[in-house]
Amino acid sequence: MAEDSPKRRKANFNEAETEVLIEQVLKHEQLLFAAGPGRASAGQKRKVWELIRHKVNPVAACPRDVEDLKKRWRDLKRRDRSKLCRLSQGCGPPEPPALGLLLAPEELPPGPAPPA
């Protein structure tokens, strides 16, 4: 009977999961994404992703596997790139919360003068 039931999707990532994922990936960014002769082997990267999984799962709404974490990381990067594109090329007005996440206050583009 279980074979006939449709596959249910997992719950969305909550804020705590996303924060832990970002923190851990940035902590191990050099090992995971470095290019060139000094880059890590596939086995080393797999171990790092497993370590990240063990850090994320205690705060997760449902158990996450490594592929879930990699996909979430790719999605986060893609969204940030599209926001940066809109900021740098004027592809449309950026949403105010996005500015605070992507840029430090001194990096924000000058806005219109506040009303007097």
Side-chain angles (χ1 to χ4, degrees):
M1 183 74 177
E3 296 170 358
D4 296 335
S5 64
K7 184 176 179 181
R8 296 188 50 98
R9 68 181 200 82
K10 292 183 178 181
N12 291 342
F13 274 73
N14 61 35
E15 192 173 324
E17 289 173 277
T18 302
E19 286 177 13
V20 172
L21 175 63
I22 291 170
E23 174 187 311
Q24 291 299 312
V25 170
L26 292 178
K27 181 178 177 181
H28 300 287
E29 184 176 25
Q30 184 64 29
L31 190 62
L32 291 171
F33 307 116
R39 69 176 184 243
S41 69
Q44 290 171 318
K45 290 179 184 182
R46 193 174 326 110
K47 286 179 184 177
V48 172
W49 279 110
E50 283 294 328
L51 173 75
I52 294 170
R53 183 178 67 88
H54 286 293
K55 300 274 186 167
V56 170
N57 275 339
V59 297
C62 64
R64 305 291 184 185
D65 57 26
V66 170
E67 289 306 313
D68 296 334
L69 300 176
K70 287 180 179 181
K71 182 179 185 308
R72 177 65 174 164
W73 180 251
R74 283 191 305 268
D75 290 348
L76 288 169
K77 283 193 324 183
R78 179 183 44 80
R79 280 197 327 212
D80 282 349
R81 266 188 246 140
S82 68
K83 288 177 188 175
L84 284 173
C85 168
R86 286 196 309 264
L87 286 173
S88 64
Q89 298 177 356
C91 300
E95 299 172 7
L99 289 175
L101 295 173
L102 295 173
L103 303 173
E106 61 273 6
E107 297 175 322
L108 291 174

